[in-house]
Amino acid sequence: MRQIAIYGEGGIGKSTIASNLSAALNEMGYTVMQVGCDPKRDSTRNLAGGRLIPAVLETYRDQLRVGKDEYAISLDSIVFKSPGGIYCVEAGGPEPGIGCAGRGVLTALQILKDLKAFETYKIDVAIYDVLGDVVCGGFAMPIREGFAKEIYLVCSGGFMSIYAANNIARAVQRLSRRAEAGTGLAGIICNSNGDETLEHSVIPEFARRLGSEFVQFVPRTPVIQACEFEGRAVVEHSPNSKEAGIFRDLAKQIMENKKTVVPTPINDLTELEQMYRQHLNKK
Ligand code: SF4
């Protein structure tokens, strides 16, 4: 099973990338499970027809309240098959004000593993959509515990999104040395904020500095926004659009790319700022 994690700044569009990637992989014939690792539990909304599915941690807490444990949870109460055939899971989060969100995500992933969800549904590709603007130990858990192996960073041409991606790369650098062999950075995906000239110039260089590859440019277009609004993936809602082709291409590239690296992030903020400024000045 391939285990692919999508990390990036909050609000950058990780769920858009993850859900459209899942749908394109499903169309290619892979059996896909998408796991949303964000307390907001809206990662799989585009696959579930715009609705929010129940979360693993909520179900777990309900079981604990009646004196049962995780093994009393049935897989079909936490794994939802989308109309298109994608298995969708939302980890959920802790009760407000109590506990650690990252630990909660890990508990949810462990429950899936213990209940043998991946074997039961014969999953070929698991996509983890991980909240990652806080590069705390909590949200690094999926990497540390061997769930997230091939890590893709999503950023736009906004400086703060590149700054966040660089910070996540620092966490990946630290963790991939200790994690299972093969765990590392697999590439950078641009989810455009509309400033395409800057993005086509700065993001490939940023990827190079990390020792990685710039994998795909996803434009900001009305088609993608309309599909989001309808709660549908692009390849399902607008299969003949240019945008559907972009997500199919992303899926193909990711399946063909088996290379991961220990990234070489920029440790000095001034250096990161200088790199960014040079590209801004070129515009
Ligand atoms: S470790 Fe991270 S996930 Fe856990 S409570 Fe702190 S900030 Fe949240």
Side-chain angles (χ1 to χ4, degrees), residues 25-54:
L25 288 168
N26 180 56
E27 190 187 67
M28 286 162 73
Y30 293 104
T31 305
V32 181
M33 179 177 279
Q34 180 168 321
V35 185
C37 303
D38 182 335
K40 286 203 306 298
R41 69 184 177 94
D42 57 357
S43 167
T44 58
R45 189 185 156 272
N46 272 352
L47 303 174
R51 70 188 184 105
L52 298 183
I53 62 173

Side-chain angles (χ1 to χ4, degrees), residues 9-28:
E9 182 195 33
I12 197 68
K14 291 183 294 298
S15 299
T16 304
I17 301 292
S19 56
N20 282 297
L21 173 62
S22 292
L25 288 168
N26 180 56
E27 190 187 67
M28 286 162 73

Side-chain angles (χ1 to χ4, degrees), residues 99-103 134 136-139:
C100 158
R103 267 220 164 271
V134 186
C136 62
F139 283 105

Side-chain angles (χ1 to χ4, degrees), residues 77-278:
S77 66
I78 52 170
V79 180
F80 293 82
K81 199 170 181 184
S82 78
I86 299 157
Y87 295 98
C88 301
V89 176
E90 291 288 349
E95 293 191 70
I98 310 170
C100 158
R103 267 220 164 271
V105 163
L106 185 63
T107 303
L109 295 180
Q110 202 59 52
I111 290 173
L112 282 179
K113 194 173 170 189
D114 292 348
L115 296 179
K116 302 203 179 319
F118 305 111
E119 294 89 335
T120 304
Y121 299 110
K122 299 186 172 51
I123 302 300
D124 298 316
V125 191
I127 307 277
Y128 301 97
D129 175 9
V130 193
L131 173 73
D133 44 346
V134 186
V135 195
C136 62
F139 283 105
M141 290 283 193
I143 306 176
R144 201 158 70 204
E145 300 299 322
F147 289 96
K149 293 239 172 69
E150 300 167 47
I151 296 145
Y152 285 87
L153 299 179
V154 180
C155 63
S156 71
F159 180 71
M160 287 318 292
S161 86
I162 293 177
Y163 174 76
N166 187 59
N167 265 342
I168 298 165
R170 291 171 70 181
V172 175
Q173 182 189 43
R174 180 163 297 133
L175 292 168
S176 50
R177 292 205 182 100
R178 289 193 237 144
E180 281 178 44
T183 300
L185 182 62
I188 313 292
I189 299 165
C190 173
N191 192 27
S192 177
N193 63 11
D195 195 347
E196 297 197 3
T197 311
L198 173 64
E199 286 163 334
H200 278 297
S201 142
V202 72
I203 298 179
E205 177 170 356
F206 174 55
R208 240 184 343 267
R209 295 275 195 110
L210 295 183
S212 187
E213 306 282 333
F214 177 36
V215 179
Q216 183 62 298
F217 183 87
V218 178
R220 186 184 181 88
T221 72
V223 171
I224 298 176
Q225 283 167 343
C227 292
E228 294 262 314
F229 186 68
E230 297 296 331
R232 302 277 308 279
V234 178
V235 295
E236 291 173 352
H237 183 271
S238 304
N240 301 320
S241 61
K242 171 175 96 296
E243 291 78 357
I246 290 170
F247 288 117
R248 288 186 187 111
D249 188 39
L250 174 65
K252 189 166 165 285
Q253 288 196 66
I254 287 182
M255 291 317 285
E256 283 171 2
N257 176 25
K258 303 227 169 101
K259 185 175 159 213
T260 57
V261 297
V262 176
T264 50
I266 301 170
N267 288 320
D268 177 357
L269 179 60
T270 317
E271 200 188 321
L272 188 66
E273 283 172 347
Q274 268 169 3
M275 179 200 79
Y276 190 77
R277 202 165 281 123
Q278 275 167 8

